[in-house]
Structure formats: structure tokens, C-alpha cells
Amino acid sequence: RNIVLNNPRKRNALSLSMLQSLREDLLHDVKSKDLRVIIISAEGPVFCSGHDLKELSSEDDVKHHSQVFEICAEVMTLIQKLPVPVIAKVNGLATAAGCQLVASCDIAVASEKSQFATPGVNIGLFCSTPAVALGRSLPRKVALEMLFTGEPLSAQEALMHGLVSKVVPEDKLEEETMKISKKICESSKSILALGKATFYRQMTQDLDTAYKMTTQVMVDNLTLRDGQEGIEAFIQKRKPVWSH
């Protein structure tokens, strides 16, 4: 499924209504066997500029401000809870909560002209929530330099530090994203869902706990119908037929 941020006039800002739509689109038909991968892209030269600052002025009350940040955190964590891989397809600038969105996706493919920044410090609103995703994607000193200075990372720097998975020329962005998506679609949805959930769970655990938990998951994986089918197909030298 393709989700397109489509408010280029507002630099695809994550207004309350944009965040609500994004949550709705991410959750739509998520249990369907046909949904295998979600791609988030955007119209215009800015992938996403982060929060709509007009909504964060003193004209709105604290309750509204809380609502904006709460739903934003919900959307960012939801991406990792979904049973299918989520790919950010970035062609342009991603700043603040827009940079957080890229960092929160499972995979990110960016064009060479893309840039990534957390410039909140420059307007007196430190990017503390984007820092959660950033600090978990990048080495600490790189994340902190971005957060303290607001200076952008180029696409190549973002790749070097692990914020994105791949950087390609702009005219190859669609092709590369589709290549990854098609490869994902060749696998069993149930096996991928198990793998994704387990990956994020073990990342927060210490080494011994992580191995204990994942050992059990491997055993459980073998009891799944597609786990058995995959191994049988390999032994019989045939293509597996997934039931998902």
C-alpha cells in the first residue's frame, strides 16, 4: 500500500489532521492477507517538515498541544507494531518530526538530494520527541550534533550513519523502492510479522534475555504452517507455497 503525504503547500507538515489520517491509513485493513508492505512517500520538494508550528502557538491551549504530541508518538510507535514492513521513500527534505518519521520506519530509501535535520533548537522548541527515534537510529554523537545545531545531514551522511538504508539517484527512487517491496512480497506474511515483532522486542533486551526469547521464537516459528512449508520446499528443491 502506498501512503502519500499530500499537502506540499504546507510542506507536508504533520498537523493534527495529517497525523490522524496517517494513523487511519496505517491501520486500514492491516490484517488483510493481501497487505504485504506499506510505502510512505510525499508530494513536493519537502518530504515532511514536522509539526505545523501554527498549531503549537499560544493561541492553542495546552490540551491541544498535548494531543498533537501524543498522537504523533502513537503514529511513530504504531509503525513498528504493524505486522508488515514499512518503507519510507524520501525525495527531499525531512525535518523535525518528519525526520522522526523516517527514523521510525523499518527501511528508508532516499534520493541523493534528500536531507535530514532536527532544527527545533533554532526556534526554541528542542526536538525532544524526534530525538527518541533519532537516538535509536544513529550513533549518539551524530544524533546530538543534529539536535544541538539543527544542521542537516546529506543523504550520503544519513546513509553512512544508518538513518537510511539506501541512497539512489532521484530517477531510480521508485525502481529501488519497488525492488525491495517485491522481494518482501515473496515471503510469508505470518513469518515476516513474527520476525518484525521479535526484532523490535529483542532490541530493548540484554543479550542473554534476547537470546532466550528469540530461541523460543525460532522453535515457535517451526510450528507455523509456513515455517514447515518453507523447510519442506527447501529440502524438496521447489518454490514454497505460502498460506500466510
Side-chain angles (χ1 to χ4, degrees):
R1 179 189 312 144
N2 284 295
I3 297 175
V4 184
L5 307 179
N6 193 9
N7 191 359
R9 248 175 11 94
K10 284 273 188 96
R11 296 159 64 87
N12 295 315
L14 293 176
S15 61
L16 189 57
S17 61
M18 180 79 104
L19 284 164
Q20 284 163 338
S21 299
L22 187 51
R23 179 177 60 184
E24 210 174 292
D25 288 346
L26 286 166
L27 287 169
H28 179 71
D29 241 5
V30 80
K31 292 208 161 59
S32 157
K33 206 155 78 173
D34 297 329
L35 178 67
R36 307 301 315 285
V37 64
I38 294 171
I39 299 167
I40 301 176
S41 62
E43 285 294 327
V46 176
F47 174 77
C48 178
S49 60
H51 290 293
D52 183 346
L53 294 178
K54 287 200 176 114
E55 288 189 341
L56 302 180
S57 70
S58 54
E59 286 167 33
D60 284 304
D61 58 9
V62 170
K63 194 170 160 223
H64 181 82
H65 297 166
S66 296
Q67 201 185 355
V68 169
F69 291 119
E70 277 162 19
I71 189 172
C72 185
E74 190 191 326
V75 166
M76 301 299 168
T77 52
L78 170 63
I79 288 171
Q80 294 179 358
K81 289 173 187 161
L82 292 172
V84 296
V86 181
I87 302 174
K89 177 179 147 192
V90 188
N91 188 25
L93 183 64
T95 61
C99 189
Q100 181 185 4
L101 179 58
V102 176
S104 300
C105 287
D106 302 312
I107 294 172
V109 187
S111 67
E112 289 167 338
K113 73 173 191 185
S114 300
Q115 286 188 308
F116 306 86
T118 46
V121 67
N122 300 331
I123 57 154
L125 180 64
F126 197 89
C127 284
S128 291
T129 44
V132 176
L134 219 60
R136 282 160 173 76
S137 290
L138 293 164
R140 187 174 298 187
K141 288 176 173 61
V142 178
L144 285 170
E145 186 182 338
M146 286 178 76
L147 291 159
F148 290 165
T149 66
E151 287 298 305
L153 286 187
S154 68
Q156 284 302 336
E157 287 170 325
L159 177 66
M160 182 171 71
H161 296 304
L163 180 59
V164 300
S165 339
K166 270 200 165 73
V167 172
V168 293
E170 190 176 355
D171 61 355
K172 291 271 188 295
L173 184 61
E174 174 69 18
E175 186 188 318
E176 191 55 48
T177 309
M178 288 318 292
K179 198 165 118 188
I180 296 168
S181 304
K182 282 186 179 126
K183 193 67 193 154
I184 288 167
C185 291
E186 287 172 17
S187 302
S188 154
K189 179 173 182 177
S190 54
I191 302 292
L192 266 179
L194 176 70
K196 174 171 168 174
T198 306
F199 177 82
Y200 284 114
R201 232 172 100 202
Q202 64 85 20
M203 285 298 285
T204 62
Q205 296 171 337
D206 65 76
L207 197 63
D208 290 339
T209 310
Y211 268 119
K212 203 170 168 184
M213 187 268 287
T214 53
T215 299
Q216 186 54 53
V217 170
M218 295 292 281
V219 175
D220 296 342
N221 190 150
L222 287 172
T223 67
L224 291 177
R225 198 194 300 177
D226 280 349
Q228 281 302 311
E229 167 59 20
I231 287 171
E232 279 168 26
F234 179 79
I235 292 166
Q236 294 164 11
K237 295 184 166 60
R238 62 174 174 82
K239 235 177 140 70
V241 180
W242 304 125
S243 60
H244 304 295

